[in-house]
Amino acid sequence: MNNFGYTRARDVADAVRQIAADPAAKFIAGGTNLIDLMKENVTRPSQLIDITHLPLDKIEETRDGGLRIGALVGNSDVAYHPQIAARYPLLGSAILAGASPQLRNMASTGGNLLQRTRCFYFYDTTTPCNKREPGTGCSAIDGINRMHAILGTSEHCIATHPSDMCVALAALEARVLATGSRGERSIAFADFHRLPGDTPEIDSNLEPDEIITAIELPPKGFAANYTYLKIRDRLSYAFALVAIAVGLEVEGGTIKEARLALGGVAHKPWRDRTAEAQLSGAPATRESFLRSAETVLRDARGFGHNVFKIELARRGIVRALAQAARGTPQSQADKRIV
Ligand SMILES: Cc1cc2nc3c(=O)[nH]c(=O)nc-3n(C[C@H](O)[C@H](O)[C@H](O)COP(=O)(O)OP(=O)(O)OC[C@H]3O[C@@H](n4cnc5c(N)ncnc54)[C@H](O)[C@@H]3O)c2cc1C
Ligand code: SF4
């Protein structure tokens, strides 16, 4: 472990001032990812700026009828909040599909967005990794890459974003509120995380001097027809091989509106507007679901060990859409549809 300083932010402005003054510093919230990265010597911050005492721990109604979730609200508190359970069950199910109860109690909303990839080469400092040390190469492309991405990859990195919560937030079209030296801004969820391109060391479009203050959910929660289907090696305490978040509006067997986001397949939660548009106005049938799965996966590419994910994702999308259309989010897919 390297030496590092520790300070506490007095308020959001003080947090921004402190991070702007020391680009090698890091905010610490629940610490469930950052402390691991420090122990493994992957991250070596000069100081930790403790933000846990900032007043960002509330879930409140917004003027337009949505909800604002403070960046320090714990993952468990989000999942079990009565408004989330009633209006945004997709978000609650995604959160509860992740980690363990102890971790969810510690983990914060802001920290969940900024957790880093679980690529084992990223954690193994004896191996080349462009995300950890730019320009050294990617050990995963020709290595053990069973957990890695099949969409949006680059020759520099094929890592996935590990969050479950973010997949649901992408489908719900949440916004990220951030404050930095240049003031406050609101970032569409689709624009928050990045694809690796030739800068895989940068995970998100948050500026180095910005703090996430909240997430805003729009009014529409797709509470009647939704599914978060997470496919993984163990039934709990495992990251997704493929995860699918679906929100549908269905009327008389016809899909009026569709949201579809995938986790475990790319460097960011993967949303495909063309596939969603194909579903709008289509009958809620296996044929429609298959067509949208084919669209989502049209450019999918495996790297050896993870080729199986393409077929897994195809079947997962069909099943998740069927479950959501039937209004049976946690049950087996209806045999009449799948
Ligand atoms: C064993 C294990 C299993 C897990 N399984 C899953 C899983 O299946 N699914 C899943 O989704 N997650 C899983 N997680 C990840 C867990 O959800 C994240 O570690 C957690 O959400 C991070 O939140 P935190 O508050 O602890 O962040 P921290 O570790 O405190 O911070 C993470 C990063 O975010 C930055 N940060 C934190 N808050 C802010 C803010 N407000 N503004 C700007 N920067 C900020 C920090 O500087 C740091 O870089 C697992 C974690 C572990 C250890
Ligand atoms: S996939 Fe990305 S994180 Fe993993 S070794 Fe390659 S560059 Fe590093």
Side-chain angles (χ1 to χ4, degrees), residues 51-114:
I51 57 171
T52 54
H53 292 77
L54 300 183
L56 304 174
D57 56 352
K58 308 253 180 329
I59 298 184
E60 298 160 312
E61 300 271 350
T62 58
R63 248 185 267 158
D64 69 353
L67 279 189
R68 183 180 302 114
I69 304 169
L72 289 169
V73 182
N75 286 181
S76 302
D77 294 328
V78 176
Y80 293 120
H81 191 279
Q83 290 284 337
I84 299 288
R87 294 167 54 192
Y88 304 95
L90 171 58
L91 179 57
S93 335
I95 292 172
L96 295 176
S100 65
Q102 293 87 346
L103 283 160
R104 294 193 296 264
N105 289 342
M106 283 301 291
S108 67
T109 298
N112 193 302
L113 266 62
L114 293 172

Side-chain angles (χ1 to χ4, degrees), residues 272-337:
D272 190 313
R273 310 291 170 114
T274 311
E276 290 178 353
Q278 272 176 352
L279 284 166
S280 296
T285 59
R286 176 181 162 79
E287 289 65 40
S288 308
F289 304 152
L290 252 177
R291 192 161 55 115
S292 77
E294 300 299 350
T295 300
V296 172
L297 297 165
R298 62 198 179 282
D299 295 324
R301 172 188 170 204
F303 293 85
H305 301 275
N306 71 345
V307 171
F308 76 99
K309 276 193 178 190
I310 300 172
E311 179 61 15
L312 189 65
R314 195 180 69 84
R315 293 178 186 217
I317 292 168
V318 174
R319 176 166 165 177
L321 285 166
Q323 288 180 185
R326 299 290 300 175
T328 54
Q330 304 303 332
S331 67
Q332 296 288 319
D334 189 310
K335 292 239 164 30
R336 283 169 298 177
I337 292 179

Side-chain angles (χ1 to χ4, degrees), residues 27 29-34 99 107-108 112 114-115 163-164 212 230 239:
F27 294 132
T32 59
N33 188 216
L34 183 55
S108 67
N112 193 302
L114 293 172
Q115 62 176 294
S163 169
D164 290 293
I212 298 172
K230 179 175 179 180
F239 289 94

Side-chain angles (χ1 to χ4, degrees), residues 20 76 98 123 131-132 134 139 145 175 191 202 225 261 273 283 327:
S76 302
Y123 280 80
K131 188 180 276 298
R132 179 170 27 77
S139 299
N145 50 38
R175 296 191 73 87
D191 299 331
I202 309 173
N225 293 93
R273 310 291 170 114

Side-chain angles (χ1 to χ4, degrees), residues 117 119 121-122 128-131 137-140 148 156-159:
T117 184
C119 171
Y121 299 108
F122 176 68
C129 168
N130 286 326
K131 188 180 276 298
C138 172
S139 299
H148 287 73
H156 303 288
C157 180
I158 59 169

